[in-house]
Amino acid sequence: MTPAAETFDAIILGAGGAGLMAALTAGQRGRRVLVIDHAEAPGKKILISGGGRCNFTNLGAGPGNYLSANPHFMKSALGRYTPADFIALVDRHGIAWHEKTLGQLFCDGSARQIVAMLLDECAKGDVTIRCGEAIRGVDRADGRFTVTYGAQAATAPKLVIATGGPSIPKIGATGFAYELAKRFGLRLIEPRPALVPLTLGPDDALFRDLSGVAAEVVARAGKTAFREAALFTHRGMSGPAILQISSYWRHGESIGIDFLPDRPAGWLRDAKRARPRAGVRSVLGALRPDRLAEALSERLALGGELANLPDKALDAAERRLADWRFSPSGTEGFAKAEVTVGGIATAGLSSQTMEARDVPGLHAIGEAVDVTGWLGGYNFQWAWASGWACGMAL
Ligand SMILES: Cc1cc2nc3c(=O)[nH]c(=O)nc-3n(C[C@H](O)[C@H](O)[C@H](O)COP(=O)(O)OP(=O)(O)OC[C@H]3O[C@@H](n4cnc5c(N)ncnc54)[C@H](O)[C@@H]3O)c2cc1C
């Protein structure tokens, strides 16, 4: 028998960054809010983020740092709730932070402080949070949503899908948002693992032997490029440059790596004049980690002294080093992906309120939606901004 349902103004499914931000915003506006999560505690992804220090925003976060089928969708929310707004909240809670690199802000202490801050703000808004209960059913009738969870039921005129994407299932991530969205007639953009290591096939086996070697590179997929560190692993490639480019990479495509981003055109000819007795191997060895220089020169197969190598061959080697082509065999999948590209199509949502155009009262926020940020605090900024926009409309 279904138990008598408790009534609320809004029910939020998912106690991650986006759900908690929507809850605290609506709660502090006087709404009676219930948050339900099947994990035993809220904010689990926040706790493991940024190596335990949570890269909670990026000073430069703007629409250009996000992937979506509609590159304009995130503008409104990001413009209304900015990194400065979140920093002000963090400062009000006395949480010390620092900029690590490229505008990325991290807690000096622990990601736990961010979760504690969000829960404290939820408490100020009298938000009810119920964790550790499986959601058994979600129904809509007469303009109200009824959610059955554990042995309980709740009803409200507003329902928020904030259950994130399927990345890192071992901490409770699921595709529940997509199932629910589909049931209410919302379209999906195919979800794919993103910010994820790429695997290399047998053709690039030589590079897998470089496991542990890192170097600053420019990684390219199509017109997109990132200059950051790349790391060879026993399965393929990782490191920030590769994670970033993985979000843009599609199966069957190649990626290009510039192994020597600072070299001017003609630098190998110059090296030939300056050090005619040197070989390609030793010239590369002076610029790149030794094992990488070894692997690259083995592949270039230009033996002997530079003096004996034709300029044309040096020019070709230079071009290859600047755009070394890899054809990844795949990715390490949702098990290792920091985020999911794709998700609930933005075409069915209002960019102001995150409400479904055709299902009044239904909202979707955070990673569940087809908005995906780069590595570097952008995904949390989207969680905060979309959660805030939704919370203001509940
Ligand atoms: C290892 C790692 C490190 C990261 N580091 C950073 C970082 O430093 N900076 C950054 O910006 N981004 C980072 N990210 C990405 C960031 O964590 C996410 O983009 C962000 O947490 C998304 O917030 P969300 O609230 O939309 O979803 P989530 O945080 O995933 O929250 C969804 C919630 O819904 C719950 N849920 C899921 N399915 C169900 C269900 N069926 N029933 C009930 N509840 C359910 C989950 O338990 C979870 O609590 C990282 C991600 C990972 C995996």
Side-chain angles (χ1 to χ4, degrees), residues 248-272:
Y248 292 84
W249 176 78
R250 299 261 179 182
H251 268 275
E253 292 176 357
S254 65
I255 59 164
I257 301 289
D258 182 348
F259 280 112
L260 292 149
D262 288 323
R263 294 287 101 190
W267 69 273
L268 263 177
R269 287 187 191 218
D270 293 345
K272 176 175 164 177

Side-chain angles (χ1 to χ4, degrees), residues 278-319:
V280 169
R281 165 74 183 79
S282 70
V283 169
L284 286 178
L287 298 167
R288 301 280 73 184
D290 211 49
R291 283 164 66 205
L292 177 59
E294 175 81 38
L296 292 172
S297 51
E298 230 176 88
R299 282 275 159 136
L300 289 169
L302 291 176
E305 297 176 354
L306 288 176
N308 298 326
L309 295 170
D311 285 351
K312 268 189 169 174
L314 294 178
D315 293 345
E318 201 178 296
R319 281 195 301 275

Side-chain angles (χ1 to χ4, degrees), residues 80-323:
R80 285 158 67 215
Y81 192 90
T82 64
D85 291 318
F86 195 77
I87 294 166
L89 181 62
V90 167
D91 286 345
R92 281 204 295 282
H93 283 256
I95 300 172
W97 52 268
H98 61 280
E99 179 181 349
K100 198 167 168 192
T101 173
L102 304 169
Q104 302 170 5
L105 304 192
F106 286 75
C107 298
D108 288 357
S110 155
R112 288 183 187 287
Q113 296 171 287
I114 298 293
V115 176
M117 174 189 83
L118 295 170
L119 294 179
D120 186 53
E121 292 288 326
C122 281
K124 283 184 197 158
D126 280 330
V127 173
T128 304
I129 302 176
R130 305 250 163 86
C131 285
E133 304 276 19
I135 295 168
R136 293 193 290 113
V138 179
D139 295 297
R140 181 168 182 263
D142 303 327
R144 291 188 76 82
F145 297 89
T146 300
V147 179
T148 47
Y149 62 104
Q152 309 175 67
T155 171
K158 312 262 187 190
L159 182 77
V160 182
I161 304 176
T163 52
S167 302
I168 319 281
K170 74 169 185 238
I171 61 158
T174 67
F176 182 70
Y178 309 148
E179 289 162 35
L180 204 53
K182 274 197 283 187
R183 266 194 34 216
F184 285 111
L186 295 177
R187 242 174 16 91
L188 296 184
I189 304 293
E190 189 204 352
R192 292 182 285 122
L195 299 183
V196 64
L198 297 172
T199 54
L200 293 177
D203 286 354
D204 295 314
L206 181 66
F207 287 96
R208 283 188 308 196
D209 294 343
L210 294 179
S211 183
V213 172
E216 186 170 329
V217 303
V218 173
R220 287 196 185 82
K223 289 191 180 134
T224 309
F226 292 93
R227 181 174 175 155
E228 283 189 67
L231 168 74
F232 288 95
T233 70
H234 63 285
R235 296 188 63 190
M237 295 173 88
S238 186
I242 301 301
L243 298 180
Q244 298 280 32
I245 215 68
S246 74
S247 302
Y248 292 84
W249 176 78
R250 299 261 179 182
H251 268 275
E253 292 176 357
S254 65
I255 59 164
I257 301 289
D258 182 348
F259 280 112
L260 292 149
D262 288 323
R263 294 287 101 190
W267 69 273
L268 263 177
R269 287 187 191 218
D270 293 345
K272 176 175 164 177
R273 273 188 290 277
R275 296 173 59 198
R277 290 274 153 79
V280 169
R281 165 74 183 79
S282 70
V283 169
L284 286 178
L287 298 167
R288 301 280 73 184
D290 211 49
R291 283 164 66 205
L292 177 59
E294 175 81 38
L296 292 172
S297 51
E298 230 176 88
R299 282 275 159 136
L300 289 169
L302 291 176
E305 297 176 354
L306 288 176
N308 298 326
L309 295 170
D311 285 351
K312 268 189 169 174
L314 294 178
D315 293 345
E318 201 178 296
R319 281 195 301 275
R320 193 162 175 210
L321 287 165
D323 188 23

Side-chain angles (χ1 to χ4, degrees), residues 14 16-18 37-38 49-50 55 162-163 168 174 176 338 366-367 377 379-380:
D37 200 297
H38 69 169
S49 69
N55 177 192
T163 52
I168 319 281
T174 67
F176 182 70
E338 278 199 14
E367 198 179 318
N379 284 295
F380 277 132

